[in-house]
Amino acid sequence: MTDQAVEREVGRARLRKEDARLITGQTNWTDNITVTGLLHLAILRSPMAHARIERIDVSPALERPGVVAAFSGRDLAGGLGSLPCAWPVTEDMVLPDHPPVAVDEVRHAGDPVAVVVARDRYAAADALEAIEVDYEPLPPVLDLEEALAEDAPLVHADKGTNRAYVWPLRTGEGFEAVRQRADVVLKRRYRQQRLIPNAMEPRAVVVTPLAASGEFTVYSSTQIPHILRIMLSVVTGVPEHKLRVVAPDVGGGFGSKLQVYGEEAIAVEVARTLGRPVKWTEYRSEGYLATHHGRGMIQDIEIAATREGRLLGLKVDLIADMGAYLMLVTPGIPILGAFMYPGIYKMDSYEFNCTGVFTTRTPTDAYRGAGRPEATFAIERAMDELAAEVGLDPVEVRRRNWIRHEEFPYASIAGLTYDSGNYEAATDKALALFGYDDLRAEQRKRNERGDGVRLGIGVSTYTEMCGLAPSRVLRDLRYSAGGWEAASIRMLPTGKVEVVTGTSPHGQGHVTCWSQIAADVLGVPFEDVEVLHGDTQAAPQGMDTYGSRSLVVGGSAVHRAAEKVVDKARKVAAHLLEASEDDLEFKGGVFSVKGSPEARRTIQEVAFETFTSHDVPDGMEPTLNSEYLLDPENFSYPHGTHLCAVEVDTETGQTRIRSYVCVDDVGRVINPVIVEGQVHGGLAQGIAQALYEEAVYDAEGNLVSGTMADYLVPSAADLPEFVTDRTETPALSNPLGAKGVGEAGTIASTPAVVNAIVDALRPLGVHDVRMPCTPERVWEAVRSAPPARTAQKEGSA
């Protein structure tokens, strides 16, 4: 028998197991994959936002060197169905066909119109220019409000409307009633600009056919191999059991790879038609047109409150830009935010209304946070406006309205049950780290002097629903699938452990964290655990990675599966030790008999005895392997307080972040190093929306910010040093007590930065700056602002 002392892993700051391969170049990106006979795809995309295809001739491309085949949309239409939308949010939602390659009409710049197949990537790209296409221009549809007018040109003429759906939610006593008794009613309009995801690895797909059996292996840089397998079967007609989908090393996603793209379906169809393996890898500028965009909406917000700053009601009207088509979860993204506009606050009435609108732009879909950053931005901006209106400090007005820690679990006005939280503790800790009172004092002095460079302080207190999973909730929201997650634990005869997970990482550190979880439950060394993922053959069950669900749902499934292994091992250990199961203790990977510690077996020894099956209980199967499918009953609700200090030059409009402090509560932490990394990454993306990024279209519907020269992605040099910390209130909805962290930084940071900018300029009469808050927009806001009313109303008390 072996003595073993295994240090507890959960909560330990482990360096990531994944990083050695990444930093030494031993990775397996999709574009690295090469097989014998590989052909390359290139896709001709429409240069017009809206046009009828009068004529297309792909035959000249066949004369180019190295070209093997060329296809129009009509050539491929027989083998390809419409790309899927899995979220029909209302019974009467308008759902247009979405061909992977346009047949008769293009509806956004970048819509595919033809495909060339060649022996190398460059020959395929060069041959695109030989294809002849005649377009009849049609009017673009760009303005969200004008698109809803009766005489507006239509994106899908056969549907008779640009209105995709209307989705309402009304709770409480009714907003009209609270408006009548309110002392203060404020209306504000905010715009969420379109954002373009920028994963380090471009999208790519490789398809290898096995003609004899009709099987296909699809390698894709995807977040959702299991969902992709199902949907590719639907679109291509290839039976699901004949499809194997592999997500190899995936270099980031941020929601952009939570999608079933036309290029994946095209690659399957071309491989099937030619009987040859094919590869497509996007160019960065091509991806800006073809990868779905994020955000894109108009938010009309109305709040009613007392003169003491107590919220009475909230009314939200959204017009959400769907783009040209409804992709996998496009219509549901703004609906996710519906439940989070009330944020952490108590009120008597809440009304929400969302209108989805078709435009001739790239479709929108999930982008880090997916609906919840938009909601947090609106309520946190509105709370600052309320504070200014009633002459209260922005932190104080939040204190007067938030849910107190002793009130949890709390049924929110939007219908969710927040299981745990302590907003007071997170805020107090953040204020202390930030030096809030000293900064306010400095701000007052600078305002009194009339400094040209103004100091602004931004506050953002947030919560979010994540761990997207409860299948019955998804049913009620009309989502087409469940939200459970699967995990298996395989105890090998040598005592090593394989964890098989249905989640599919793309930079989050699943291998490290899942190893820590399994090692703790099983009492084995961290180094002895291997994690398998991202392959529908190796991990046949799963619902994949998005919505900060991996740890909360997938990690919890690993935990439960490991517990089942221990339960099975207990039966064998009791048999070997000739003791009752009730008399066994299990600690640090060792089974021992209570009162007789010398009678002991390690779990590794039990695993080997079970493998030999020489001496196991009658009827016992000769394995400790176990699996668990977990479907939580509730979401998880991380929360926190973010504080930002900016200096704004009123002469140039230049904004500099002087300091940034955040205190997040993500429940029980598995690995603090990974939590820090997720928070830092989220902050970068949220700050980017506030200050830098925007997808800009011209009057003809052309994307004019279509390269990294025009679309500003911040580097480390553009961002401040972050001060981060945590409080910890464990979740009650999962065995780990975890709450999710992948999107928290993005959700909280954008309003913190914009609130800081507006706070700096409020004494000059500015109450809003449209995102991104570029120097030009800040300068223009200062120049066009009306005189401020009084110092008391400045919101900088």
Side-chain angles (χ1 to χ4, degrees):
M1 291 182 291
T2 305
D3 289 330
Q4 57 184 45
V6 179
E7 184 178 345
R8 182 165 177 80
E9 288 291 339
V10 169
R12 188 176 177 187
R14 280 279 191 182
L15 295 180
R16 302 196 325 172
K17 282 185 174 183
E18 300 91 327
D19 288 352
R21 288 188 310 103
L22 295 173
I23 63 178
T24 57
Q26 300 177 64
T27 47
N28 190 33
W29 311 116
T30 302
D31 191 51
N32 291 352
I33 296 169
T34 184
V35 294
T36 302
L38 183 67
L39 300 174
H40 295 260
L41 302 183
I43 296 174
L44 182 66
R45 301 185 183 278
S46 170
M48 307 185 72
H50 198 195
R52 189 172 291 112
I53 301 173
E54 292 289 293
R55 184 183 73 90
I56 183 166
D57 186 359
V58 300
S59 60
L62 296 172
E63 300 174 6
R64 292 298 183 95
V67 172
V68 174
F71 304 94
S72 69
R74 196 170 300 280
D75 295 332
L76 296 171
L80 294 175
S82 179
L83 293 174
C85 175
W87 204 337
V89 295
T90 63
E91 288 186 10
D92 60 351
M93 185 184 81
V94 175
L95 182 57
D97 285 342
H98 185 183
V101 181
V103 176
D104 300 311
E105 194 170 313
V106 293
R107 294 182 170 87
H108 68 90
D111 216 354
V113 296
V115 180
V116 170
V117 188
R119 292 187 177 89
D120 67 68
R121 183 183 185 187
Y122 305 104
D126 289 344
L128 293 179
E129 64 185 19
I131 297 175
E132 299 172 1
V133 189
D134 293 337
Y135 296 101
E136 179 190 343
L138 296 171
V141 180
L142 301 170
D143 184 276
L144 292 177
E145 292 176 299
E146 291 177 4
L148 296 173
E150 285 189 13
D151 59 348
L154 299 176
V155 180
H156 300 275
D158 60 317
K159 299 303 180 183
T161 181
N162 290 323
R163 183 179 284 103
Y165 65 86
V166 176
W167 194 94
L169 176 66
R170 292 175 176 83
T171 63
E173 66 180 85
F175 190 78
E176 286 301 322
V178 300
R179 181 194 278 131
Q180 292 301 316
R181 59 186 175 89
D183 303 312
V184 176
V185 177
L186 296 177
K187 296 181 181 180
R188 295 290 186 267
R189 168 167 283 201
Y190 303 121
R191 293 181 183 268
Q192 295 283 327
Q193 76 271 35
R194 276 177 166 250
L195 301 176
I196 303 177
N198 279 275
M200 291 185 72
E201 179 208 18
R203 290 191 295 119
V205 58
V206 173
V207 178
T208 61
L210 187 59
S213 60
E215 296 176 273
F216 297 84
T217 298
V218 180
Y219 300 90
S220 180
S221 56
T222 181
Q223 299 174 218
I224 52 167
H226 298 91
I227 294 173
L228 179 59
R229 182 191 189 205
I230 296 168
M231 293 304 186
L232 280 180
S233 177
V234 171
V235 174
T236 66
V238 177
E240 185 182 349
H241 67 286
K242 297 289 188 178
L243 281 169
R244 175 190 177 192
V245 176
V246 181
D249 292 312
V250 178
F254 313 117
S256 70
K257 296 174 183 176
L258 166 57
Q259 193 55 264
V260 178
Y261 283 105
E263 293 87 358
E264 292 160 322
I266 291 166
V268 172
E269 178 60 16
V270 171
R272 176 166 57 183
T273 300
L274 301 181
R276 297 272 298 275
V278 298
K279 176 191 287 187
W280 172 81
T281 301
E282 73 177 6
Y283 294 94
R284 183 68 68 176
S285 56
E286 180 183 28
Y288 274 31
L289 291 168
T291 297
H292 73 240
H293 293 179
R295 315 286 193 256
M297 66 173 62
I298 298 171
Q299 302 171 304
D300 287 314
I301 310 298
E302 187 171 356
I303 57 173
T306 68
R307 63 176 54 89
E308 292 78 26
R310 179 181 170 269
L311 271 177
L312 298 175
L314 171 66
K315 187 172 186 289
V316 177
D317 286 298
L318 302 184
I319 306 177
D321 188 352
M322 303 287 98
Y325 302 100
L326 302 182
M327 297 190 76
L328 190 64
V329 291
T330 300
I333 297 304
I335 306 306
L336 283 175
F339 302 97
M340 299 315 303
Y341 278 87
I344 66 173
Y345 305 115
K346 297 180 286 189
M347 60 191 73
D348 302 326
S349 175
Y350 173 50
E351 292 188 11
F352 173 92
N353 193 77
C354 178
T355 301
V357 179
F358 292 111
T359 63
T360 52
R361 287 186 280 219
T362 300
T364 59
D365 210 300
Y367 180 73
R368 196 171 191 170
R372 288 101 75 207
E374 299 94 308
T376 299
F377 179 87
I379 188 61
E380 289 304 291
R381 286 287 296 112
M383 292 301 286
D384 261 32
E385 293 300 298
L386 176 61
E389 184 69 22
V390 300
L392 287 172
D393 182 273
V395 174
E396 178 57 29
V397 83
R398 288 165 170 82
R399 289 187 192 278
R400 295 187 183 190
N401 288 284
W402 65 34
I403 303 157
R404 298 187 304 276
H405 71 275
E406 64 269 17
E407 296 178 279
F408 289 95
Y410 186 85
S412 80
I413 189 73
L416 300 177
T417 299
Y418 299 170
D419 60 341
S420 67
N422 191 328
Y423 309 143
E424 304 98 304
T427 302
D428 289 344
K429 194 169 192 177
L431 292 172
L433 290 169
F434 192 62
Y436 187 82
D437 292 339
D438 290 342
L439 282 168
R440 283 295 185 200
E442 179 186 345
Q443 181 188 50
R444 282 192 292 270
K445 291 177 181 178
R446 291 173 68 160
N447 287 348
E448 289 167 1
R449 292 196 304 264
D451 284 3
V453 177
R454 295 295 178 116
L455 176 63
I457 298 166
V459 182
S460 175
T461 49
Y462 80 99
T463 188
E464 60 146 327
M465 55 185 283
C466 69
L468 294 181
S471 295
R472 293 183 180 182
V473 175
L474 296 178
R475 172 202 63 193
D476 294 342
L477 293 174
R478 299 181 57 84
Y479 183 62
S480 298
W484 49 265
E485 195 49 79
S488 300
I489 305 290
R490 299 201 289 246
M491 286 292 299
L492 305 181
T494 55
K496 309 302 182 185
V497 178
E498 289 179 336
V499 174
V500 182
T501 177
T503 65
S504 186
H506 41 284
Q508 295 91 336
H510 293 186
V511 171
T512 301
C513 288
W514 282 210
S515 295
Q516 291 180 275
I517 292 167
D520 264 9
V521 176
L522 300 173
V524 301
F526 169 80
E527 294 77 11
D528 286 356
V529 182
E530 189 69 28
V531 179
L532 308 178
H533 59 79
D535 182 340
T536 60
Q537 189 173 83
Q541 298 185 98
M543 293 302 294
D544 305 318
T545 293
Y546 41 86
S548 298
R549 72 186 301 272
S550 293
L551 176 61
V552 173
V553 190
S556 293
V558 170
H559 180 91
R560 291 298 192 206
E563 288 182 328
K564 288 180 70 174
V565 169
V566 174
D567 290 342
K568 292 176 76 172
R570 186 183 302 276
K571 298 180 185 299
V572 179
H575 178 80
L576 294 172
L577 294 170
E578 299 180 344
S580 166
E581 290 181 47
D582 294 336
D583 290 335
L584 289 189
E585 292 181 331
F586 181 69
K587 184 177 181 181
V590 176
F591 292 98
S592 60
V593 180
K594 296 176 184 176
S596 302
E598 69 283 355
R600 49 197 276 126
R601 289 288 193 277
T602 67
I603 195 168
Q604 293 96 330
E605 291 170 327
V606 173
F608 185 79
E609 292 292 341
T610 307
F611 162 72
T612 66
S613 199
H614 292 169
D615 188 15
V616 296
D618 292 340
M620 175 89 183
E621 60 181 353
T623 178
L624 299 182
N625 297 348
S626 296
E627 68 176 10
Y628 199 95
L629 275 73
L630 184 136
D631 195 348
E633 295 181 0
N634 196 2
F635 302 102
S636 70
Y637 301 95
H639 68 83
T641 297
H642 288 223
L643 301 169
C644 178
V646 300
E647 291 186 327
V648 181
D649 189 324
T650 58
E651 294 297 320
T652 66
Q654 185 68 40
T655 297
R656 182 182 74 88
I657 298 179
R658 176 167 142 179
S659 61
Y660 196 103
V661 169
C662 63
V663 174
D664 296 293
D665 192 319
V666 298
R668 186 160 291 125
V669 171
I670 305 302
N671 187 321
V673 172
I674 288 176
V675 167
E676 287 292 302
Q678 288 290 305
V679 170
H680 279 219
L683 293 176
Q685 285 185 275
I687 292 170
Q689 178 174 6
L691 295 179
Y692 302 112
E693 296 187 24
E694 181 177 25
V696 179
Y697 286 82
D698 67 15
E700 300 302 317
N702 300 302
L703 181 66
V704 297
S705 56
T707 72
M708 282 190 167
D710 311 296
Y711 185 91
L712 185 55
V713 179
S715 70
D718 301 304
L719 298 169
E721 292 289 328
F722 302 123
V723 176
T724 64
D725 209 332
R726 293 184 298 277
T727 56
E728 186 172 309
T729 52
L732 306 179
S733 57
N734 64 79
L736 298 173
K739 292 186 176 180
V741 69
E743 296 161 305
T746 304
I747 288 167
S749 56
T750 308
V753 174
V754 177
N755 277 342
I757 293 169
V758 175
D759 183 63
L761 302 179
R762 198 179 294 279
L764 305 178
V766 175
H767 67 78
D768 192 31
V769 179
R770 183 175 169 180
M771 294 189 296
C773 301
T774 61
E776 180 181 6
R777 285 182 176 167
V778 171
W779 182 87
E780 181 57 37
V782 172
R783 293 299 173 270
S784 60
R789 288 177 293 173
T790 67
Q792 186 181 15
K793 299 293 186 180
E794 288 166 6
S796 300

